[in-house]
Amino acid sequence: MACSVSTLSPPFFSLLLILLSPSFAAAAGNFNSDVDIVWGDGRGKIVNNGQLLTLSLDKSSGSGFQSKNQYLFGRIDLQIKLVSGNSAGTVTAYYLSSQGETHDEIDFEFLGNLTGDPYIVHTNVYTQGKGNREMQFYLWFDPTIDFHTYSILWNPSHIVFFVDGTPIREFKNLAANKGVPYPNNQAMRLYSSLWDAEDWATRGGLVKTDWSQAPFMAEFRNLNADGCVQGTLASSSCGSKAWMNQALDAESLKKMKWVQSNYMVYNYCSDVKRFPQGLPPECSAK
């Protein structure tokens, strides 16, 4: 699970009523065949003939699931409806990760908040066991009213985080020219969980979980995990996938810049106090 930097209280501002792109609908999968619920003692449920998965959290435990397959590169789309109401202290996590001390990891984490305050989308990238690459965003919609698609593109060139088809963050493969490790040789499994992180999730832990609101629930549908299943990278069926060479065109870069200019609330590449010896090398890359 990813660690967090302290989260500041969100400023009051009017969310821009502009959708950057039409809702990106993931192709429907089936949770019965694609994932296993691995913890929560019955708090995670697959219903509607595998079309819907719910995770719940109460004071005793949260819950989580993981993909049956492991992937080396892929395009993962998942639609999520986040915990509604006073979700302060809760985290809905959605991430790819390998195992071990030198693991790689690609994180989406959705940090709950008091009713009426915006969710914070916390992203991070770990390579060879090292993270500390947090970027955080507000969303331009209420993610608790309906399902929205959150996507991870991971190919040999870059990692891109998408919200409803709009890129919000890119992590490039700079191993050759910057010496920055890149996750390209450890297969990763998809994980998702709903858990209590009141010690840091909301305003750096100042706002605690209100257990009178429990059980908290997040809903998931339309998982589309199109990746190179471990051991099949060399196969033509994987190498020829469109996402293996997918890049961000000028319009996508424009949209990502717009999101980062209007909704980014933390960027490790701007945190000079955190890195007194100099910002990480990828921060200076064009």
Side-chain angles (χ1 to χ4, degrees), residues 48-59:
N48 293 355
N49 295 317
Q51 299 306 303
L52 182 71
L53 188 152
T54 63
L55 295 179
S56 65
L57 163 69
D58 56 39
K59 198 167 186 177

Side-chain angles (χ1 to χ4, degrees), residues 39-113:
W39 66 283
D41 194 24
R43 291 172 178 82
K45 300 181 185 299
I46 298 174
V47 296
N48 293 355
N49 295 317
Q51 299 306 303
L52 182 71
L53 188 152
T54 63
L55 295 179
S56 65
L57 163 69
D58 56 39
K59 198 167 186 177
S60 297
S61 178
S63 49
F65 66 87
Q66 68 183 39
S67 63
K68 294 180 183 293
N69 290 325
Q70 297 185 71
Y71 306 97
L72 187 59
F73 305 125
R75 168 75 186 233
I76 313 294
D77 305 304
L78 180 61
Q79 292 188 331
I80 308 174
K81 184 193 293 186
L82 295 173
V83 176
S84 61
N86 180 3
S87 57
T90 72
V91 171
T92 304
Y94 158 48
Y95 60 105
L96 293 167
S97 183
S98 60
Q99 300 297 310
E101 293 184 2
T102 58
H103 75 289
D104 297 330
E105 189 170 320
I106 304 168
D107 292 329
F108 265 117
E109 291 185 304
F110 304 93
L111 313 187
N113 223 326

Side-chain angles (χ1 to χ4, degrees), residues 7-273:
T7 302
L8 300 178
S9 177
F12 292 99
F13 64 93
S14 296
L15 293 178
L16 298 180
L17 299 179
I18 299 175
L19 290 177
L20 296 181
S21 66
S23 178
F24 183 86
N30 188 292
F31 288 111
N32 284 320
S33 58
D34 294 341
V35 309
D36 293 309
I37 295 176
V38 290
W39 66 283
D41 194 24
R43 291 172 178 82
K45 300 181 185 299
I46 298 174
V47 296
N48 293 355
N49 295 317
Q51 299 306 303
L52 182 71
L53 188 152
T54 63
L55 295 179
S56 65
L57 163 69
D58 56 39
K59 198 167 186 177
S60 297
S61 178
S63 49
F65 66 87
Q66 68 183 39
S67 63
K68 294 180 183 293
N69 290 325
Q70 297 185 71
Y71 306 97
L72 187 59
F73 305 125
R75 168 75 186 233
I76 313 294
D77 305 304
L78 180 61
Q79 292 188 331
I80 308 174
K81 184 193 293 186
L82 295 173
V83 176
S84 61
N86 180 3
S87 57
T90 72
V91 171
T92 304
Y94 158 48
Y95 60 105
L96 293 167
S97 183
S98 60
Q99 300 297 310
E101 293 184 2
T102 58
H103 75 289
D104 297 330
E105 189 170 320
I106 304 168
D107 292 329
F108 265 117
E109 291 185 304
F110 304 93
L111 313 187
N113 223 326
L114 295 170
T115 304
D117 286 346
Y119 259 82
I120 287 179
V121 181
H122 175 96
T123 66
N124 203 353
V125 176
Y126 282 72
T127 57
Q128 298 179 10
K130 179 184 177 183
N132 300 324
R133 298 187 177 101
E134 299 91 345
M135 294 174 69
Q136 296 180 337
F137 306 84
Y138 293 134
L139 293 169
W140 50 94
F141 53 83
D142 184 343
T144 71
I145 294 176
D146 203 351
F147 288 90
H148 291 268
T149 304
Y150 304 94
S151 306
I152 297 169
L153 169 66
W154 170 36
N155 67 26
S157 300
H158 60 174
I159 294 163
V160 185
F161 297 79
F162 295 88
V163 175
D164 285 339
T166 293
I168 65 171
R169 175 181 184 178
E170 180 184 29
F171 183 80
K172 296 180 179 179
N173 184 349
L174 300 173
N177 57 357
K178 289 283 186 178
V180 179
Y182 186 78
N184 58 10
N185 58 14
Q186 297 188 72
M188 292 197 258
R189 200 180 298 273
L190 168 67
Y191 298 88
S192 186
S193 58
L194 175 57
W195 54 291
D196 176 36
E198 66 175 5
D199 58 332
W200 65 266
T202 307
R203 296 185 60 197
L206 294 178
V207 182
K208 302 302 182 181
T209 305
D210 180 0
W211 293 111
S212 71
Q213 305 296 312
F216 304 97
M217 180 176 291
E219 299 177 75
F220 305 80
R221 72 181 186 189
N222 290 346
L223 170 62
N224 180 27
D226 187 10
C228 301
V229 177
Q230 186 177 24
T232 65
L233 179 60
S235 70
S236 59
S237 62
C238 181
S240 62
K241 295 284 189 179
W243 48 257
M244 279 292 282
N245 297 298
Q246 184 178 344
L248 294 179
D249 59 18
E251 184 64 22
S252 295
L253 290 170
K254 181 179 178 181
K255 290 178 178 179
M256 184 171 67
K257 182 179 179 180
W258 191 91
V259 171
Q260 294 183 357
S261 296
N262 290 281
Y263 294 102
M264 183 184 291
V265 294
Y266 179 81
N267 181 1
Y268 77 107
C269 281
S270 301
D271 196 344
V272 294
K273 291 183 178 179

